[in-house]
Amino acid sequence: MNGHAEPLLHDLEEPLGFAADASFDGVVCALVYEHVRNRVQLLGELRRVLRPGGWILASTTHPTADWRHFGGSYFSHDWRDLPLGDSKLSIHYQRLPSETFLGELLAAGFVLEQLIEPRPTADLREIDEAAYNRLRQAPSFLAVKLKRP
């Protein structure tokens, strides 16, 4: 390994044709999973390209954060557009209850190793005390580490 990464732009709705079977040690899916419509295909492809014992780190917006923001049912699977500040841009994604998020990953044959609901570090208190206090009271993210058997 030469310590350098090669950036690659790829549509996760498509198979990972650039990758051979069992060619990766790990995969990071940081705040991307809830944007993919064909998650069954994606998870099959991730399982295919991971070596046995390989890992996935996946994070998503915590379902309770979506529930607090959008209201309605916590168990909603609707697609939403979250505006980005005062701009005309928004983020399009699907609301996923915890049982859906974890259930899909486990059904694809991965084994859960760790689940965390990250809390802010003390440094945030110095930058934005209101945000720090809010994030200490209610989770905003959900992160999991899974293993390919």
Side-chain angles (χ1 to χ4, degrees), residues 83-89:
L84 294 175
D86 295 332
S87 75
K88 294 183 182 200
L89 301 174

Side-chain angles (χ1 to χ4, degrees), residues 4-5 24 31 40 44 55 59 63 71 73 79 98 131 142 145:
H4 299 287
F24 284 85
L31 298 173
V40 170
W55 49 266
S59 64
S73 172
W79 286 84
S98 296
L142 181 64
K145 181 180 181 189

Side-chain angles (χ1 to χ4, degrees), residues 12 17 27 39 43 62 71 85 88 96 98 105 114 118 125 144 149:
L12 293 179
V27 172
R39 292 188 299 270
L43 291 172
H62 199 290
K88 294 183 182 200
L96 299 174
S98 296
L105 292 160
Q114 186 177 12
R125 179 182 279 158
V144 293

